[in-house]
Amino acid sequence: MPSHPKPDWDPLSPQAQHDPQATADGMREHCPVAWSQALHWSLFRHADVLRAVKDHTTFSSVVSRHVAVPNGMDPPQHTAYRRVIEPYFSKARVDAFEPQCRAMVRSLVATLPRSAPIEWIDALALPFAVWAQCDFLGWQDEDHAALAQWMQANYAATLAQDRAAHTELAARFQAVVTAQLERRRGIGVAAAPGDLTWALMQEKVHGVPLTDAEIASILRNWTVGEIGTMAASAGILCDWLAHHAPVQAQLREHPSAIPAAVEEILRLRGPLATNRRITTCPVDIGGRHLPAGSRVTLHWPAANRDARAFDAALEYRPERDQTANLLWGAGVHVCPGAPLAQMELRVLLEEVLASGASMETVPGESPEPAMHPASGWARVPLRLVPLQA
């Protein structure tokens, strides 16, 4: 095991948790490669994060003894599983799902009170993320509440660093997936629902059918990972627009500008805090020497606010070239579900902005930052105020 230097920072300190974005920004400028007890080596600058993401031979994604398909794999193993997964997020599939997604948002927005304070995450962001992902996978309505409860329990266990609870929750999630698979196996091929979960059950890698454990790993990524990130994104976007009324009015008038706004707002405040890597050999990066076997944490929001990669990095400029934006990752692990997420967030904003009400802040209340390992906001107090005729 590599020896550890003196900690450069404490990402779990009250100060860091109170304003994780400001903390990460400060580390990027003053200690861009830092060591801590909680996160081991951290990379904050765009160039360093991009180097680690693209150099998978040096910075391996195999960071756990528990196989994560395909996130916790390196090529060529990753390549084979990725080839199976990518078609599920094709333009044709995403386009076909859009009307269903739009109906969900419209239904949820219609239930929100007007002018009264709303806790946006619980009232819209999380329900939409759960509903959309469950329907995309072909899961039934009764699965929504169980999945949302599981996510809340998993988040609590992560905050408490409760390994026993994590073990129990992993078994619970496996049971949820097993029930989904058995439900489909029980009805037989002739009555197969033809949904994405059924289709995934038919997949093979190198001619060998996916195991239940591999399917569970993929579905965990598509549910737990996607739902958490989508809910965070919805909270970030709507809170930002509530604080920037002129931009909100512009997007209401010109909905075609929404996709560029989504990319830029989520560059400014990212919905995904970190990812992990492990070094396969000694490496020098950012003026620090990392031994082989070092655990490395990539800080996406800090990298995406780096003035070395973006002109006027802290300013909202939706017209900027987004090539360097790491919102959806980069390299072989770039998010395969990005087309689905982009459609869902576009539709969410289109429907909220077309609802005849403006998203506004609640006087005297501020959003509450999510605690690591989450990103974005834990609570977003907003109001939907009817527009003046």
Side-chain angles (χ1 to χ4, degrees):
M1 293 292 291
S3 58
H4 297 148
K6 180 181 177 181
D8 299 300
W9 71 309
D10 180 6
L12 302 183
S13 69
Q15 179 182 0
Q17 295 282 34
H18 174 71
D19 195 340
Q21 181 168 274
T23 300
D25 284 345
M27 295 302 297
R28 182 189 61 239
E29 300 308 314
H30 303 294
C31 189
V33 180
W35 197 86
S36 67
Q37 292 283 351
L39 301 181
H40 299 259
W41 290 102
S42 286
L43 307 183
F44 297 95
R45 288 187 177 171
H46 188 280
D48 294 337
V49 170
L50 189 61
R51 174 184 170 187
V53 168
K54 290 193 169 183
D55 183 4
H56 54 79
T57 59
T58 302
F59 296 89
S60 171
S61 293
V62 185
V63 298
S64 172
R65 60 186 178 87
H66 301 291
V67 177
V69 182
N71 308 51
M73 297 174 169
D74 294 325
Q77 184 186 34
H78 169 271
T79 308
Y81 284 88
R82 178 75 180 228
R83 193 176 294 122
V84 166
I85 288 169
E86 284 187 339
Y88 287 86
F89 302 98
S90 67
K91 186 178 186 304
R93 283 189 186 271
V94 171
D95 288 349
F97 185 58
E98 181 171 333
Q100 191 175 342
C101 181
R102 189 175 299 279
M104 291 176 208
V105 182
R106 195 168 291 172
S107 173
L108 287 168
V109 172
T111 67
L112 298 178
R114 294 321 191 241
S115 299
I118 302 167
E119 202 299 282
W120 204 256
I121 300 297
D122 288 344
L124 181 64
L126 184 57
F128 169 62
V130 172
W131 189 357
Q133 204 62 16
C134 284
D135 276 24
F136 187 69
L137 294 173
W139 291 18
Q140 298 177 4
D141 290 349
E142 57 264 30
D143 299 319
H144 297 188
L147 185 56
Q149 291 168 2
W150 186 94
M151 289 186 60
Q152 291 171 342
N154 187 62
Y155 179 55
T158 300
L159 289 180
Q161 298 184 332
D162 189 336
R163 292 187 177 183
H166 269 303
T167 300
E168 189 270 334
L169 284 164
R172 275 174 54 187
F173 188 83
Q174 182 66 55
V176 169
V177 172
T178 298
Q180 293 288 341
L181 303 187
E182 291 304 320
R183 182 186 301 167
R184 286 161 178 78
R185 288 181 179 129
I187 62 177
V189 175
D195 59 39
L196 265 68
T197 301
W198 170 265
L200 191 62
M201 293 168 64
Q202 317 311 310
E203 297 288 359
K204 297 180 179 179
V205 173
H206 301 309
V208 179
L210 295 177
T211 66
D212 283 6
E214 289 171 334
I215 295 173
S217 180
I218 294 170
L219 290 176
R220 178 166 177 157
N221 188 35
W222 288 0
T223 52
V224 180
E226 293 294 331
I227 290 169
T229 307
M230 283 298 299
S233 296
I236 291 167
L237 289 167
C238 294
D239 173 75
W240 194 93
L241 290 173
H243 283 84
H244 297 80
V247 177
Q248 184 179 166
Q250 178 194 30
L251 296 180
R252 184 177 293 109
E253 185 71 21
H254 303 284
S256 62
I258 289 176
V262 168
E263 300 294 306
E264 179 68 349
I265 294 169
L266 295 181
R267 181 191 67 79
L268 287 167
R269 190 172 193 101
L272 181 64
T274 61
N275 276 135
R276 297 183 296 163
R277 297 291 189 271
I278 189 167
T279 57
T280 61
C281 59
V283 60
D284 293 317
I285 186 168
R288 306 292 291 265
H289 179 77
L290 279 59
S294 294
R295 296 191 173 275
V296 180
T297 301
L298 314 180
H299 292 258
W300 301 109
N304 260 348
R305 291 162 57 87
D306 190 344
R308 299 161 191 82
F310 302 93
D311 291 335
L314 303 188
E315 294 182 11
Y316 172 73
R317 294 187 177 183
E319 73 282 358
R320 76 167 78 240
D321 180 0
Q322 296 287 349
T323 303
N325 192 339
L326 297 176
L327 172 61
W328 309 108
V332 299
H333 286 285
V334 67
C335 179
L340 176 65
Q342 289 165 330
M343 179 276 288
E344 291 177 347
L345 294 172
R346 170 178 58 79
V347 167
L348 174 72
L349 290 186
E350 286 175 352
E351 291 301 318
V352 174
L353 293 172
S355 68
S358 172
M359 292 175 286
E360 299 186 10
T361 60
V362 177
E365 294 195 39
S366 299
E368 178 184 316
M371 297 179 67
H372 186 85
S375 188
W377 304 112
R379 291 184 65 260
V380 174
L382 293 180
R383 297 179 299 156
L384 271 180
V385 179
L387 296 168
Q388 298 298 320

